[in-house]
Structures are given as C-alpha cells and as structure tokens.
Amino acid sequence: MKFTDSRIADLIVSRIREMGLNLRVMHVCGTHQDTIVKNGLDVLFARCNVEMRQGPGCPVCVTPPKEFEEAKLLAKKGCILTVFGDVVRVPIEGGSLADLRGEGCDVRVVYSVEDAVKVAKSTNKNVVFMAIGFETTAPSTASVLINEPPENFYVLSCHRYVPPALDALLSMGELKLDGLIDPGHVSTIIGLKPYEVLTAKYRIPQVIAGFEPLDLLMAVFMIARQLSNGEAKVENEYTRLVRYEGNQKALSIMNSAFEPCDVAWRGFGVIKNSGMKIKKEFQGHDARLAFEDELKVIRDKEFKEPVGCRCSEVIRGLIYPQECPLFGKVCTPNRPIGPCMVSIEGSCNIEYKYGRLSLRFNRS
Ligand code: SF4
Ligand code: SF4
C-alpha cells in the first residue's frame, strides 16, 4: 500500500465526515507536524471539522533557557561542548552556543553521542555532551554511560520523558482536547502502557501514529471512531514498528542509567518525574555533579524567555506560529528569536519552511 494514496485519503476523510463530529486533537511530535504541514493535511482535517494542534513535541523547543546557560557556562570554563546541530543555534541571552566560538570557546556539533565520545578519546580536555531528547535518544546516551566512557567524558542530561508532560498538559486543562496522537518514535521505545495510565485518568482517546500522511489521517479516524462509540482507549495505528510492550532492551538500558527527577520544561515550569537524572553508579560522568562548583552561580538564577517570543504558548498548543507577531517578520530561520524557529521539529520552523506566513483557513 502507498501511504500517500489520495483515493484512500479521500475515503478516510469522508468516513470521518460521516461521523459528524467537531474535534480538537493534539499531537506531540515534530515529525508529525512536518507531515501534516508539508502535505496540507490540516486543510483536510479542517474539512472534517477536526482542529489539529501541536503540543510539546520537539525536544529542543521544550528545553528551558537555564539548561542552555549550563552548557554555555561549561564551555566558558574550558570544556569542549558537544551538541546536536539544532541546539547550537537556539537563541539564549547574549547569543547562542554557536556564538560562543567567537569568544574562543570550543563548541562542536556532533551527530550522535558516540561522536562526542570520539572527541573525548582524542583529547585530554573535559568533553561535555549536551544530551537533549526524549525516550527515543536517551537509550543511546544510556548505552554510552554504562559502557565505561573515557574519564574526561561528561553528560549534561537534558533528556525528558514524554508521558509526564502529557499528564501535565491534560491536568492544566487550558485546551479542551478530544484526543491525542502519540509520537511514533517515542512509542517504539515505551510501548502502549504509559499512555493507558493517562487514558484511564483523563478518559481521553489516544492513537499512536506513524509518519506518513495516511498514518495521520487514520489516527484521526480512529480517535473519531472511539468518540462515536463512546470509548476512550489507546490504539496503535503504527503496528509496523510499535509493539505493546515497546522495546524492552532499549528500556532496560535507559532505566539502568537514568532515574526520574523533577525538571522544568519551557512553557510548563517544573513537571514531576519528567527528567532523566544520571544514576549514582554513573555519577562520575554527570556534568552537573562534576562541575557543581562552576554551575553554582546559576543554580538559583531565573532565565527569561526571549523578549516577545511566544514559543511557550506554541509548545502548549495555545497558539499557532502565525499568531506570534514576530513570526516571519522579526523571527525567521536565519534570525530566530525562539527555539521553535530553530529546531527542524519546531512548529514555527515547519510553518516557515513551507511558506505559510498566514493561516490558510479558518480553524475556529
Ligand atoms: S524524537 Fe521522534 S517521536 Fe519524538 S518528537 Fe522527534 S520525531 Fe517525534
Ligand atoms: S515566531 Fe519566533 S518568536 Fe514567535 S513563537 Fe515562533 S520562535 Fe518564538
């Protein structure tokens, strides 16, 4: 089957329309957003009276300014800072991590945590890897930690668990949501169980979806079908890759290196048990402990969001990027004001990439 077959798409759309519902659905994945905008799926959704919102689905966007400041400080103190490509351009007070190079700091872009380890093996200097990502990337970081990395290698763990953020979002109740589309990659690791807890608590239908246009249309159809039948359960549309129990091996590696801790998310504040703290056994590689003294100066400091930036509301699905007055005018991928315009999984970047400077249709 072709996952872009327009005849099947039309059929699914007409089935959703037949149910005659008016729905607001949120998904929490940057790649889902890319598929939706690139293929104009939200226009199709609007035709079936389905309003689609993106929630906290980009790991770079939800990382708050303070964690970037920690990385910045460590680079300034002489560590080699290794980061993923998008991370280096996120604006923080006084510039970005990339701008630090102008001050003589050694900030390098790596494609994987293994690359960061290679850097550590090639030098006597301390190397810090700024580990950003959800359950998808955390097992790789964990695997490095449990396999005796070089002594001069440190992880600044900015990893986060997705389910506690969904819990926080639903408990805030800012938006009345009729259903959630759960992220495909994260779900390959965690399986269905963590979502079932949320559905039991909030009685909200959830569907795990793949990344093709038909996957997302089917996910909406499945949510609509649940609501029509008066059901609320977790369904798996992405059976090609997601198993009920998830990836046990990856989970066990992740759980052997990390334990939950309370951590702040951009746009949310502190979410209980949503952060991944490096376990005691591997604390020799925990940048926050190894450089505790250096980081002390910012421990209790608050860092502000960029002036005028509305990323916090974009991340909570409260506004669309085009509703930010800076979108496409002051804030562009070349001169980003907030992380949502930098990250390839950020809502603002995706809207800009496909040239959508204004909302193309009325979603009210
Ligand atoms: S890591 Fe994968 S599942 Fe998570 S937000 Fe990014 S694309 Fe989506
Ligand atoms: S357009 Fe720019 S300033 Fe506005 S929310 Fe998006 S990233 Fe932030």
Side-chain angles (χ1 to χ4, degrees):
M1 183 177 85
K2 262 176 73 192
F3 288 98
T4 48
D5 191 321
S6 61
R7 280 170 317 154
I8 301 178
D10 288 344
L11 196 65
I12 301 171
V13 167
S14 60
R15 287 285 163 81
I16 301 172
R17 280 173 71 98
E18 275 164 27
M19 287 185 249
L21 300 168
N22 223 320
L23 306 179
R24 181 183 283 151
V25 174
M26 178 178 274
H27 70 84
V28 283
C29 170
T31 308
H32 282 163
Q33 182 68 5
D34 194 79
T35 304
I36 288 168
V37 176
K38 181 164 69 190
N39 296 285
L41 291 184
D42 41 1
V43 179
L44 288 185
F45 292 145
R47 280 192 203 140
C48 340
N49 295 321
V50 175
E51 181 188 314
M52 183 62 71
R53 304 257 168 176
Q54 178 178 359
C58 165
V60 178
C61 302
V62 299
T63 303
K66 188 163 189 177
E67 288 176 26
F68 288 96
E69 294 292 341
E70 287 178 312
K72 182 171 157 182
L73 197 58
L74 295 180
K76 283 190 167 181
K77 295 283 178 188
C79 296
I80 299 177
L81 180 67
T82 55
V83 291
F84 289 139
D86 281 354
V87 175
V88 83
R89 294 187 55 238
V90 170
I92 42 177
E93 232 174 287
S96 65
L97 296 178
D99 292 331
L100 289 176
R101 292 176 184 140
E103 297 174 34
C105 298
D106 194 344
V107 180
R108 303 188 195 180
V109 169
V110 289
Y111 295 99
S112 65
V113 59
E114 288 83 9
D115 285 350
V117 172
K118 277 186 204 151
V119 174
K121 283 182 177 161
S122 70
T123 177
N124 291 325
K125 284 186 156 186
N126 291 325
V127 174
V128 174
F129 173 62
M130 188 181 184
I132 286 188
F134 299 141
E135 290 92 334
T136 334
T137 47
S140 309
T141 312
S143 166
V144 162
L145 283 171
I146 64 179
N147 282 301
E148 296 183 15
E151 268 178 32
N152 61 337
F153 175 78
Y154 302 93
V155 171
L156 182 68
S157 176
C158 306
H159 284 309
R160 285 169 166 74
Y161 299 100
V162 167
L166 296 180
D167 197 346
L169 188 98
L170 294 169
S171 72
M172 284 160 92
E174 290 178 307
L175 276 181
K176 193 206 158 292
L177 296 174
D178 300 298
L180 279 176
I181 298 181
D182 297 320
H185 297 135
V186 167
S187 306
T188 58
I189 307 294
I190 67 175
L192 274 67
K193 255 197 206 153
Y195 303 120
E196 287 179 339
V197 178
L198 297 174
T199 281
K201 189 166 168 189
Y202 298 101
R203 234 196 111 62
I204 185 164
Q206 297 183 73
V207 176
I208 296 165
F211 299 98
E212 299 289 344
L214 287 189
D215 286 321
L216 286 152
L217 282 170
M218 266 312 285
V220 170
F221 167 76
M222 289 159 85
I223 287 172
R225 186 176 58 187
Q226 285 192 40
L227 289 163
S228 277
N229 295 339
E231 296 171 326
K233 55 188 179 186
V234 180
E235 290 185 281
N236 181 14
E237 186 278 335
Y238 199 26
T239 48
R240 311 196 287 288
L241 279 185
V242 175
R243 302 277 164 269
Y244 180 80
E245 67 286 359
N247 181 333
Q248 288 294 318
K249 195 170 169 212
L251 278 176
S252 127
I253 292 171
M254 186 173 87
N255 294 338
S256 53
F258 295 113
E259 61 192 5
C261 64
D262 300 348
V263 82
W265 293 52
R266 191 186 296 267
F268 285 86
V270 174
I271 302 179
K272 218 171 163 13
N273 289 329
S274 66
M276 296 195 202
K277 186 178 170 212
I278 296 172
K279 280 190 170 170
K280 216 171 167 194
E281 300 93 288
F282 311 104
Q283 65 184 23
H285 297 284
D286 186 339
R288 287 199 179 92
L289 286 179
F291 304 107
E292 212 174 356
D293 288 345
E294 287 84 348
L295 294 172
K296 210 157 47 194
V297 284
I298 59 166
R299 197 168 53 205
D300 301 318
K301 245 176 129 181
E302 295 282 330
F303 292 94
K304 291 197 188 84
E305 300 290 338
V307 179
C309 173
R310 296 183 67 186
C311 285
S312 295
E313 291 155 90
V314 170
I315 289 163
R316 300 205 305 278
L318 296 181
I319 63 164
Y320 292 104
Q322 294 90 337
E323 292 173 80
C324 170
L326 308 186
F327 179 78
K329 299 177 191 117
V330 181
C331 181
T332 64
N334 284 336
R335 293 189 58 146
I337 304 292
C340 295
M341 189 55 94
V342 178
S343 169
I344 52 164
E345 293 187 355
S347 292
C348 302
N349 182 285
I350 291 168
E351 293 290 328
Y352 193 90
K353 183 164 67 188
Y354 298 110
R356 304 204 328 180
L357 297 181
S358 58
L359 292 169
R360 290 196 304 199
F361 48 88
N362 184 6
R363 286 146 148 152
S364 63

